[in-house]
Amino acid sequence: MKHVNISAVEKPISSLILGSDYFTPQNQEKVNEMIEAFVEVGGNTIDTAYIYAGGESEKAIGHWIDQSSNRDKLNIWTKGGHPNQNGHTINHGELYDQLQTSLERLKTDHVELYALHRDDLTVRVEDILEWLNEHVQAGRIHAFGASNWSTERLDEANQYAAKNGMQGFSFSSPNLSLAKAKEPYWPGCVSADQQMIKWHEQSQLPLFSWSSQARGFFTGRFTRDNLENEDLVRVFYNDENWERYDRAEKLAKKKQCSLIEVALAYVLNQSFPTGAIIGPQNRQELQSCGLGASISLTADEIAYLDLQK
């Protein structure tokens, strides 16, 4: 499996990142099975968040850490700063409280990766960097990134960090998938377009994609005439994405693999460092993700899938 190096993190980040939004202590047996199977295929990074399953996701991961004594095998990535019923939560006090709660749930004194779940354009990046660097200096987080931020804000933040001797954003986490989103899947979400991809090519800032397999668009369960999944139809159904689907299907036959494995390989074979958050529900799906991560695509094949050839 490929890995992504981040200077502040001791263990390189596995290109497959295990999503945990369905983890809870109530399905702890399944949680344990999925984490252990993930480690078996070479994965070492788990993605969670303060808000996932109302905090239950972090608790379930904490139970696994407590029971297995294998904390040192994993990079834990959690997120904070998601808006709640009162609005944005990106401020010094709430970020501190959320991170402290996350660490307690996770039964650890630090996380290797931390990300702001959303941006708040009313808050200066200078202030955000000061707050995040406080947590770095205290050892609570090792590296931080931004989920659903624009490249303009990332640029502004990292230029300020460089000028002031501070740690900047080490990664970005928008949606990147072979199917291109017509509109945000959830309010405030950002999907990588060609301009963002070019920015990552130039900056080489790692991109860790959520919904890397386009919410199941490439599983084969959906067709042009199947409109039962309203969100999938709203976000991904258009002629261009169905053409990408057809091309991925042809390429999968050529490479003797599955359609969804080609879709995953697309994310992991960009011309800049990438990781893909995956959400397997069983060992078979996890093994399929492992196969997708092992597929190499040429620049011409990426261009073909991107409808550029």
Side-chain angles (χ1 to χ4, degrees):
M1 188 180 298
K2 298 176 184 176
H3 290 78
V4 175
N5 290 301
I6 290 180
S7 60
V9 179
E10 182 179 348
K11 293 182 291 296
I13 313 302
S14 54
S15 61
L16 293 181
I17 299 168
L18 184 63
S20 66
D21 58 354
Y22 68 89
F23 285 12
T24 71
Q26 288 68 45
N27 65 1
Q28 191 69 46
E29 186 174 340
K30 181 176 180 178
V31 170
N32 295 347
E33 179 185 9
M34 294 311 301
I35 294 177
E36 287 157 16
F38 178 64
V39 172
E40 285 172 12
V41 301
N44 71 0
T45 303
I46 298 181
D47 164 68
T48 187
Y50 175 80
I51 66 163
Y52 284 172
E56 297 295 280
S57 170
E58 291 179 325
K59 289 180 183 177
I61 295 168
H63 288 327
W64 181 85
I65 289 172
D66 200 38
Q67 294 164 10
S68 70
S69 301
N70 281 329
R71 171 68 180 91
D72 61 338
K73 290 185 177 180
L74 292 179
N75 293 314
I76 304 297
W77 170 16
T78 196
K79 299 182 287 295
H82 194 286
N84 61 23
Q85 66 275 10
N86 298 317
H88 286 289
T89 64
I90 298 181
N91 59 68
H92 186 270
E94 290 196 72
L95 288 180
Y96 176 85
D97 291 344
Q98 288 179 22
L99 180 54
Q100 288 292 102
T101 298
S102 290
L103 294 176
E104 290 170 10
R105 293 170 178 165
L106 289 163
K107 299 185 187 297
T108 187
D109 62 358
H110 72 279
V111 289
E112 285 74 15
L113 301 174
Y114 182 77
L116 297 178
H117 221 149
R118 293 288 192 278
D119 195 2
D120 180 355
L121 296 176
T122 68
V123 182
R124 301 188 319 151
V125 293
E126 295 90 336
D127 295 331
I128 292 172
L129 283 166
E130 295 282 353
W131 303 335
L132 292 175
N133 274 266
E134 283 180 19
H135 293 301
V136 170
Q137 291 159 11
R140 289 184 283 268
I141 62 179
H142 291 174
F144 56 83
S147 182
N148 299 297
W149 275 42
S150 70
T151 57
E152 290 80 10
R153 283 276 278 184
L154 287 167
D155 258 336
E156 182 184 357
N158 281 355
Q159 287 176 22
Y160 178 82
K163 288 177 182 176
N164 291 276
M166 304 170 71
Q167 184 166 312
F169 287 94
S170 296
F171 62 94
S172 180
S173 182
N175 162 245
L176 170 64
S177 62
L178 178 54
K180 306 307 176 188
K182 299 182 295 179
E183 60 180 80
Y185 200 90
W186 296 288
C189 287
V190 172
S191 291
D193 56 15
Q194 284 303 311
Q195 182 179 355
M196 180 174 281
I197 287 172
K198 287 180 181 178
W199 182 86
H200 277 277
E201 287 175 342
Q202 293 168 355
S203 69
Q204 290 295 300
L205 189 79
L207 186 157
F208 300 145
S209 170
W210 55 264
S211 288
S212 58
Q213 293 166 300
R215 312 298 294 179
F217 182 80
F218 296 98
T219 59
R221 297 196 303 266
F222 303 99
T223 65
R224 289 165 169 82
D225 299 327
N226 181 346
L227 308 179
E228 65 184 33
N229 188 316
E230 292 181 3
D231 283 330
L232 212 64
V233 171
R234 174 177 60 84
V235 177
F236 293 119
Y237 273 42
N238 63 16
D239 291 341
E240 290 80 8
N241 281 334
W242 284 115
E243 175 63 20
R244 293 184 179 98
Y245 183 104
D246 292 340
R247 292 189 178 201
E249 197 167 43
K250 291 176 183 175
L251 193 56
K253 289 178 181 177
K254 178 182 176 182
K255 292 184 173 291
Q256 297 183 319
C257 62
S258 73
L259 171 64
I260 198 164
E261 288 162 10
V262 167
L264 180 59
Y266 168 85
V267 174
L268 298 178
N269 282 270
Q270 296 293 316
S271 55
F272 50 89
T274 57
I277 302 170
I278 56 172
Q281 299 288 320
N282 52 56
R283 282 181 177 269
Q284 183 179 0
E285 291 180 359
L286 182 52
Q287 288 166 357
S288 173
C289 291
L291 291 171
S294 70
I295 296 171
S296 294
L297 298 178
T298 66
D300 282 346
E301 287 171 331
I302 292 288
Y304 170 72
L305 293 172
D306 265 333
L307 312 183
Q308 295 176 3
K309 278 185 173 286

